[in-house]
Amino acid sequence: MSTARKQYKRVTTNSLIEMKSNGEKISMLTAYDYTMAKIIDHAGIDVLLVGDSASNVMAGHETTLPITLDQMIYHASSVVRASNRSLIVVDIPFGSYQSDSKEALRSAIRIMKESGAHAVKVEGGIEIESSLSRIIQAGIPVMGHLGLTPQSIYQFGTYTVRAKEDAEAKKLLEDAKLLEAKGCFALVLEKIPAKLAKKVAEQLTIPVIGIGAGPDVDGQVLVVHDMLGMTHEFHPRFLRRYANLFEEMSSAFSQYNTDVKTKDFPNEKEQY
């Protein structure tokens, strides 16, 4: 029996928990700037993640590690100004919460105060327990992130699927339960076996959002530049391209170049 989907004027952390309870899947995309965020928000996407993936797609770095707290706040502020409905979650960047819990809290407070975002996201499980606890105790909503955690890429040495072996799978499930017990409102699982992701989603009461984690989680997230086909050289199995903007934009730029060179632009109708 189908039920009418509840309409949310503004998505909150409680909305996501309610969506899971009602069996409604959660949609989430990354956003880094005002113009793109405004379009995504208008389309009805539930969560905008101001991801540290801005380090890759916006700044051209090989990893997420170089992006700074100030830069994340800049991107987040732009996204906040564009959003009327979506919940806005911001990654705390590498080096801004791992060293000690006081620094973690300072970083989270700066993001919330200076950007106006609604929540922060951190990577890791028991290793960041003290930082996580301090942030949550301060009343700041936190989304967790397990599986392939890009901030630890040099430790992993590869972007391959995580938690395929029993020991790592067991730890991931334990970490997921820990994050829920500590008060995280949601969890991202990246690039892990679908069966394990399903098990985690079934055992947690908080929403589990996947990227490369199969269909049996509570929602999905993609990097917007990837799903729009702007980063055309990136081909992971989990990625579905909903457009081919690399080709369309390249064609538009090429045509503009030709029109300028041939003096076709501007024509009589395009001048004063």
Side-chain angles (χ1 to χ4, degrees):
M1 184 177 71
S2 63
T3 57
R5 220 171 71 181
K6 181 173 178 178
Q7 298 299 313
Y8 295 95
K9 186 175 181 180
R10 166 67 82 177
V11 178
T12 66
T13 56
N14 286 336
S15 305
L16 301 189
I17 294 171
E18 191 173 48
M19 287 179 191
K20 173 168 179 145
S21 175
N22 293 336
E24 179 183 347
K25 297 291 188 179
I26 297 163
S27 59
M28 180 167 157
L29 286 172
T30 61
Y32 317 103
D33 67 273
Y34 176 87
T35 303
M36 187 75 81
K38 197 168 185 65
I39 298 170
I40 299 170
D41 182 81
H42 179 73
I45 299 301
D46 298 315
V47 184
L48 299 185
L49 174 64
V50 185
D52 56 5
S53 48
S55 179
N56 309 103
V57 298
M58 300 299 286
H61 294 297
E62 183 179 359
T63 72
T64 63
L65 274 62
I67 199 164
T68 67
L69 183 61
D70 285 340
Q71 290 168 334
M72 288 301 302
I73 291 170
Y74 166 80
H75 286 293
S77 300
S78 302
V79 171
V80 167
R81 286 191 288 271
S83 173
N84 293 313
R85 178 186 178 275
S86 305
L87 178 76
I88 300 169
V89 181
V90 183
D91 273 329
I92 306 182
F94 176 75
S96 301
Y97 64 97
Q98 291 94 340
S99 62
D100 67 75
S101 61
K102 290 182 180 179
E103 181 186 29
L105 179 57
R106 284 193 295 268
S107 298
I109 288 174
R110 280 199 62 200
I111 288 172
M112 300 295 284
K113 283 179 70 68
E114 296 178 34
S115 77
H118 309 130
V120 297
K121 183 167 77 64
V122 294
E123 297 181 6
I126 195 170
E127 303 85 0
I128 62 160
E129 182 179 2
S130 61
S131 293
L132 177 67
S133 295
R134 192 177 282 264
I135 295 171
I136 291 174
Q137 286 167 9
I140 298 173
V142 178
M143 177 181 283
H145 185 148
L146 297 173
L148 177 63
T149 47
Q151 291 180 8
S152 303
I153 189 57
Y154 288 131
Q155 180 183 5
F156 294 151
T158 175
Y159 284 99
T160 191
V161 177
R162 304 304 310 175
K164 291 190 293 185
E165 303 299 327
D166 290 344
E168 189 176 353
K170 181 174 181 289
K171 182 181 184 305
L172 185 142
L173 182 57
E174 290 172 351
D175 280 341
K177 291 179 177 178
L178 171 70
L179 293 179
E180 179 179 56
K182 288 293 178 182
C184 285
F185 71 88
L187 173 64
V188 170
L189 293 179
E190 181 169 355
K191 213 166 183 183
I192 69 169
K195 288 183 179 179
L196 175 59
K198 179 182 180 182
K199 185 176 181 180
V200 174
E202 289 174 345
Q203 293 194 23
L204 297 189
T205 59
I206 61 173
V208 176
I209 298 170
I211 176 167
D216 297 313
V217 288
D218 304 302
Q220 300 292 334
V221 58
L222 287 174
V223 172
V224 68
H225 290 69
D226 296 340
M227 60 89 72
L228 289 177
M230 297 173 76
T231 50
H232 67 296
E233 68 280 359
F234 186 55
H235 300 286
R237 183 188 298 186
F238 63 78
L239 174 60
R240 180 181 296 182
R241 297 199 191 280
Y242 286 82
N244 186 0
L245 291 195
F246 179 84
E247 294 295 338
E248 291 186 36
M249 293 170 73
S250 295
S251 177
F253 297 148
S254 177
Q255 186 62 54
Y256 168 74
N257 185 54
T258 298
D259 290 349
V260 170
K261 299 290 186 183
T262 60
K263 303 180 182 179
D264 181 69
F265 176 79
N267 60 30
E268 287 187 10
K269 293 181 180 180
E270 295 163 334
Q271 54 187 289
Y272 298 98

